[in-house]
């Protein structure tokens, strides 16, 4: 039954016009950014550190230019449409009148959102890595923030780790957005509330600035030896947000 629920949710997700529209916009933005990316030849680790783009560092730097769109456009729109749009349109009631356990349905919807972002990151990484090797200046080693000079294999592992940490942050954004989408009366307010929460996190604590500037924060974390960012901060936030999600999801009157 879990597999059928997953397939059903996946079909509903890709049948939505908003899903196709957002993916099309992201694809266009990816092409647009890459065009200027390879023509300019210069990018940034953060506002204070610029860097020449080469064949080994192009994938992380490409995501830096696209992470804002993923954080503030792609994820909030996907999540609001899935968790709130189906409720306000009545589609979710048709799903819940069947003998599906609410917790299973939540995790299926949450997993689909994570899958969408994972696919977007995979495509971005492939474009950045493959076209970087083909188009950008070829080098045998490159230097990342903090003075880390890495060869071909080291740069590849750095890139994968960079994308992996960004993915974990995006999962946390999905989880926070799903809470707000369940609580808000319509999808527009869900979207606005998610954006507000991400921006507002900067004013709550400097340690939460990674929600606003994802890739800049990841570059800094990777420049620090023995960073415990994932264990001490990100994973606890993810766990707490999932617990809140389950509580709100189970208490919500979906079919009343």
């Amino acid at each position: 039954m879990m597999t059928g629920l997953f397939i059903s949710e996946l079909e509903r997700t890709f049948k939505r016009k908003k899903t196709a529209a957002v993916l099309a916009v992201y694809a266009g933005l990816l092409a647009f950014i890459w065009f200027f990316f390879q023509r300019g030849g210069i990018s940034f680790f953060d506002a204070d550190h610029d860097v020449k783009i080469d064949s080994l560092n192009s994938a992380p730097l490409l995501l830096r230019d696209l992470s804002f769109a993923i954080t503030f456009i792609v994820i909030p729109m996907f999540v609001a449409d899935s968790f709130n749009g189906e409720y306000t349109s009545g589609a979710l009631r048709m799903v819940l009148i069947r003998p599906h356990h609410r917790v299973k349905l939540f995790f299926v919807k949450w997993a689909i959102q994570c899958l969408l972002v994972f696919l977007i990151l995979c495509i971005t990484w492939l474009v950045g890595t493959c076209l970087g090797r083909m188009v950008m200046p070829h080098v045998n080693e490159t230097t990342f923030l903090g003075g880390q000079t890495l060869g071909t294999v080291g740069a590849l592992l750095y890139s994968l780790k960079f994308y992996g940490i960004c993915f974990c942050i995006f999962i946390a954004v999905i989880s926070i957005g799903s809470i707000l989408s369940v609580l808000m009366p319509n999808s527009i307010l869900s979207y606005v509330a998610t954006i507000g929460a991400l921006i507002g996190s900067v004013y709550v604590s400097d340690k939460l600035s990674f929600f606003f500037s994802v890739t800049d924060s990841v570059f800094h974390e990777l420049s620090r030896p023995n960073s415990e960012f994932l264990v001490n901060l990100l994973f606890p936030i993810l766990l707490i947000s999932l617990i809140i999600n389950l509580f709100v999801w189970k208490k919500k009157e979906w079919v009343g």
Side-chain angles (χ1 to χ4, degrees):
M1 182 176 288
M2 193 73 169
T3 302
L5 196 59
F6 186 89
I7 294 174
S8 175
E9 177 66 23
L10 195 63
E11 290 177 347
R12 292 201 309 277
T13 298
F14 280 98
K15 284 181 179 179
R16 296 185 196 118
K17 293 181 179 179
K18 287 183 182 178
T19 300
V22 172
L23 290 176
V25 168
Y26 184 80
L29 186 61
L30 176 60
F32 179 81
I33 292 295
W34 178 259
F35 175 76
F36 287 99
F37 189 75
Q38 56 94 14
R39 286 178 65 88
I42 299 291
S43 187
F44 301 87
F45 292 126
D46 59 23
D48 300 319
H49 300 87
D50 59 359
V51 59
K52 290 184 178 180
I53 307 168
D54 57 48
S55 59
L56 298 181
N57 66 15
S58 55
L61 294 173
L62 179 61
L63 181 57
R64 182 187 186 274
D65 289 343
L66 289 162
S67 63
F68 188 87
I70 296 174
T71 307
F72 290 95
I73 299 175
V74 175
I75 293 177
M77 290 193 72
F78 279 162
V79 173
D81 202 32
S82 176
F83 285 89
N84 187 285
E86 283 195 345
Y87 169 59
T88 53
S89 68
L92 193 58
R93 294 181 180 87
M94 299 302 295
V95 177
L96 286 170
I97 60 176
R98 299 171 184 173
H100 298 309
H101 196 285
R102 287 189 176 196
V103 173
K104 287 184 179 179
L105 181 58
F106 165 76
F107 275 114
V108 164
K109 295 178 77 64
W110 180 80
I112 292 295
Q113 298 306 306
C114 294
L115 177 62
L116 284 171
V117 174
F118 179 77
L119 292 175
I120 287 173
L121 289 180
C122 285
I123 292 170
T124 305
W125 181 82
L126 284 172
V127 170
T129 301
C130 296
L131 291 185
R133 301 291 175 87
M134 295 166 53
V135 178
M136 305 311 296
H138 177 77
V139 296
N140 293 319
E141 60 181 26
T142 190
T143 302
F144 291 98
L145 186 66
Q148 301 178 74
T149 300
L150 302 173
T152 302
V153 175
L156 176 62
L157 294 175
Y158 181 99
S159 175
L160 292 173
K161 187 175 182 180
F162 181 88
Y163 271 73
I165 297 176
C166 287
F167 180 55
C168 291
I169 295 175
F170 291 143
I171 291 175
V173 174
I174 290 170
S175 300
I176 292 171
S178 62
I179 296 171
L180 296 172
S181 294
V182 171
L183 295 175
M184 292 295 108
N186 60 63
S187 56
I188 294 176
L189 288 178
S190 299
Y191 178 85
V192 173
T194 302
I195 300 299
L198 296 175
I199 296 175
S201 65
V202 178
Y203 299 96
V204 174
S205 172
D206 290 339
K207 293 182 178 180
L208 299 177
S209 62
F210 62 86
F211 281 126
F212 185 77
S213 54
V214 175
T215 51
D216 290 22
S217 299
V218 176
F219 276 126
H220 279 277
E221 289 302 322
L222 290 178
S223 70
R224 298 171 183 146
N226 303 318
S227 172
E228 296 183 347
F229 165 73
L230 287 174
V231 175
N232 291 340
L233 187 59
L234 186 56
F235 285 165
I237 289 174
L238 180 56
L239 179 60
I240 292 170
S241 63
L242 284 175
I243 292 172
I244 296 173
N245 258 306
L246 291 174
F247 176 80
V248 173
W249 184 263
K250 291 174 73 174
K251 294 296 181 180
K252 180 77 172 182
E253 184 56 57
W254 296 107
V255 294

